[in-house]
Amino acid sequence: MKFNAPRGTNDILPPEIEKWQYIEEITHKLFKNYNYQEIRTPIFEYTELFQRGIGEVTDIVEKEMYTFEDKSGRSITLRPEGTASVIRSFLENKIYGQAQPTKYYYIGPMFRYERPQSGRFRQFHQLGVEAIASNDPALDAEIISLGIRLLEKFGLEDFELHLNSVGCKSCRPKYMEKLKTFLTKNKAELCDKCKERIERNPLRVLDCKNQSCQAVIKDAPKITEHLCEECELHFSEVQSFLDVLNIEYIINPLLVRGLDYYTHTAFEIKDNALGAQNTVFGGGRYNGLAEEIGNRDIPGIGFALGIERLLLSLQAKEINIVEAEGIDLYITVIGEKAKKEAFRLLDILRKEEFKTEIDYLDRSVGSQMKSADRMNAEYTIIIGENELNNNSATIRNMKSGNEAEIKLSNLLKEMKQRVDKGEK
Ligand code: ATP
Ligand code: MG
């Protein structure tokens, strides 16, 4: 019998995992600086949370969800995104009763039944933020800048911020009608998918990648020319707060989010080195979402970043975010008695946060030294019967080749003198 991981999933193995740990570490640190707190919601939710009522016509909800019945017959869905769960949790736990705004972030796996390809998987990972219960355009700019500052932490600077406003309940319907009329007039030119979208989700036609659709779309009416006064003002305020931070953006009226609950700001960060799947993170305002989930008029804004795409972006630019780290000391042992003593010393050193290792395969001294080399050990020491009897051993600096005679009982002290833990 041979087993494979399911299509579209990945094992994250060492040393690759160190990049993930580093990304998570930097994320926790930076997001806390911005006063966002981590939230962890379940990996699965009741399907209705994502499939609310009628009119939900995103690709995700229609075709990409991992949905199944549990043993009690309830319909369960592996979460395809984080925002709905965060808002569900905010409402369920009555967080709105506390001081506002609420600023959350999350890191974790998401699941979408998509065609696997570069930068597109069926289990992938997002880190995301949600700022809830404030409609301040400064918060839109904060969210966008937070994502950008995160990329900068990893040395990524070469990307484009695309910015748009998708309007609101009062101005978007009028725009949608105009768009529908325009698309209907040009229906013959559109791909089959977009022909269907005209009635159900005309905004989505705007970001269709199909070439003949693109040719039609470039002459389509622009949402930015149909915003109401309030949306205009919000949009220009977001821009002026971004200007304050010297963050450059490209106004892109074709950047849309398909659903009704999205309002005002929409944005995407694109890395053109990534090819077809070039969006590293995207997000926007969803002032109508809490209404849909829990009948409460509470605004929100957020983004989600694909960690796999961030890694691809780093790879494309040959940016290495983690250095291979060796161990501090490898203890080579000769004989059973020495192994027990080495095992005891290991414990003492590890309690003091020294990275240490011994042999677990009963190998010869030569093979043990090879392991030490492979582990990139900074120091090695050999302990045998003689060393035990004399309470003394030779410690060797593997880089310089320098050796010193030390008392075995002083090993911890000697290591402290040699390895600067402050640097770690
Ligand atoms: P795309 O247009 O690339 O499908 P999306 O609009 O579906 O993206 P969002 O739902 O906004 O993406 O998710 C935010 C981010 O999550 C994306 O910008 C991307 O970095 C990442 N992402 C989305 N779907 C996948 C996937 N199947 N595999 C890997 N990363 C993904
Ligand atoms: Mg998608």
Side-chain angles (χ1 to χ4, degrees):
M1 180 81 99
K2 197 170 144 232
F3 294 104
N4 296 106
R7 193 162 133 77
T9 69
N10 296 295
D11 296 316
I12 309 169
L13 302 171
E16 180 75 6
I17 195 72
E18 288 183 22
K19 295 182 189 166
W20 287 74
Q21 289 170 346
Y22 181 72
I23 289 171
E24 286 164 18
E25 184 189 318
I26 296 294
T27 301
H28 288 300
K29 233 193 245 167
L30 183 73
F31 286 12
K32 278 177 191 154
N33 273 166
Y34 279 70
N35 199 29
Y36 286 73
Q37 291 172 299
E38 189 185 0
I39 177 170
R40 298 190 191 184
T41 62
I43 300 286
F44 60 86
E45 298 270 1
Y46 291 129
T47 301
E48 303 87 81
L49 177 67
F50 305 111
Q51 211 168 48
R52 297 174 298 272
I54 38 160
E56 297 280 321
V57 284
T58 57
D59 287 352
I60 298 178
V61 174
E62 262 189 324
K63 303 194 289 271
E64 297 175 1
M65 296 209 304
Y66 277 90
T67 299
F68 56 94
E69 272 184 16
D70 70 10
K71 292 194 188 302
S72 76
R74 288 279 321 235
S75 184
I76 297 288
T77 293
L78 300 185
R79 62 181 188 191
E81 52 108 7
T83 308
S85 304
V86 170
I87 296 302
R88 194 259 316 131
S89 173
F90 177 88
L91 295 168
E92 183 175 348
N93 295 292
K94 300 191 169 56
I95 307 299
Y96 48 78
Q98 303 174 9
Q100 299 302 329
T102 296
K103 306 207 298 183
Y104 285 146
Y105 73 93
Y106 59 83
I107 307 179
M110 304 294 161
F111 306 85
R112 294 183 193 176
Y113 190 79
E114 299 201 70
R115 191 170 70 77
Q117 53 200 291
S118 167
R120 198 176 289 291
F121 307 99
R122 290 181 173 173
Q123 174 170 335
F124 62 99
H125 298 77
Q126 286 185 338
L127 56 89
V129 292
E130 315 290 351
I132 310 164
S134 161
N135 199 28
D136 188 342
L139 209 44
D140 303 37
E142 173 176 291
I143 289 272
I144 293 169
S145 70
L146 174 54
I148 288 177
R149 297 299 177 238
L150 182 68
L151 297 187
E152 287 171 354
K153 287 269 175 204
F154 303 120
L156 289 170
E157 278 162 0
D158 193 16
F159 44 70
E160 287 176 358
L161 165 60
H162 289 232
L163 188 67
N164 194 19
S165 169
V166 295
C168 68
K169 268 198 293 225
S170 81
C171 55
R172 192 170 43 222
K174 276 179 244 158
Y175 167 72
M176 297 263 270
E177 280 316 309
K178 271 202 171 164
L179 182 63
K180 268 188 203 171
T181 311
F182 170 85
L183 293 174
T184 310
K185 245 194 272 166
N186 295 279
K187 192 166 176 178
E189 261 49 72
L190 299 175
C191 72
D192 289 347
K193 257 192 185 170
C194 284
K195 283 188 179 115
E196 276 176 42
R197 284 172 177 149
I198 296 179
E199 278 312 308
R200 298 188 309 157
N201 195 357
L203 281 178
R204 273 284 285 137
V205 177
L206 295 179
D207 70 359
C208 181
K209 308 281 186 291
N210 187 295
Q211 281 203 340
S212 65
C213 295
Q214 291 276 326
V216 172
I217 292 156
K218 69 179 188 343
D219 300 319
K222 295 191 166 48
I223 179 91
T224 38
E225 284 157 18
H226 296 80
L227 296 176
C228 63
E229 215 172 302
E230 191 203 319
C231 286
E232 282 266 15
L233 183 65
H234 190 96
F235 194 32
S236 73
E237 280 293 290
V238 173
Q239 292 172 51
S240 73
F241 277 107
L242 287 172
D243 293 339
V244 167
L245 304 181
N246 286 322
I247 290 178
E248 287 175 25
Y249 45 83
I250 300 166
I251 305 279
N252 179 356
L254 298 182
L255 173 63
V256 290
R257 321 233 101 205
L259 297 176
D260 280 353
Y261 60 77
Y262 287 111
T263 59
H264 301 293
T265 316
F267 57 89
E268 273 181 10
I269 284 279
K270 292 179 190 289
D271 177 353
N272 293 321
L274 286 189
Q277 274 65 247
N278 65 350
T279 307
V280 180
F281 73 83
R285 257 199 185 277
Y286 45 80
N287 287 0
L289 182 59
E291 186 74 55
E292 272 194 20
I293 292 179
N295 293 318
R296 271 176 193 269
D297 180 16
I298 299 172
I301 177 158
F303 74 69
L305 174 149
I307 299 181
E308 286 84 355
R309 293 209 193 155
L310 167 59
L311 286 164
L312 284 170
S313 182
L314 290 165
Q315 195 184 44
K317 300 190 167 74
E318 295 180 2
I319 298 174
N320 202 2
I321 51 173
V322 286
E323 294 292 328
E325 203 187 291
I327 65 170
D328 296 319
L329 176 72
Y330 189 95
I331 305 181
T332 299
V333 297
I334 309 167
E336 199 47 39
K337 239 170 118 187
K339 180 151 181 180
K340 293 257 160 59
E341 177 59 6
F343 203 60
R344 195 182 67 84
L345 291 168
L346 220 55
D347 185 50
I348 292 170
L349 288 160
R350 286 171 172 173
K351 276 187 194 151
E352 298 284 328
E353 292 177 21
F354 286 96
K355 240 172 118 180
T356 50
E357 191 54 287
I358 53 167
D359 170 58
Y360 290 106
L361 290 170
D362 243 336
R363 281 179 290 204
S364 67
V365 171
S367 308
Q368 292 187 50
M369 291 305 277
K370 262 187 217 144
S371 293
D373 235 12
R374 212 172 32 242
M375 288 174 202
N376 220 345
E378 201 176 345
Y379 290 91
T380 56
I381 193 168
I382 301 179
I383 307 179
E385 195 97 8
N386 278 345
E387 283 77 10
L388 291 182
N389 291 339
N390 302 333
N391 182 31
S392 104
T394 307
I395 188 164
R396 179 185 168 88
N397 181 318
M398 296 297 280
K399 221 193 245 149
S400 66
N402 288 344
E403 293 187 344
E405 230 13 64
I406 64 163
K407 280 198 160 137
L408 260 189
S409 52
N410 278 347
L411 182 59
L412 176 62
K413 209 171 110 203
E414 296 281 352
M415 283 301 289
K416 278 186 176 164
Q417 273 168 15
R418 286 173 170 76
V419 181
D420 182 5
K421 301 307 287 183
E423 291 272 274
K424 301 241 143 182

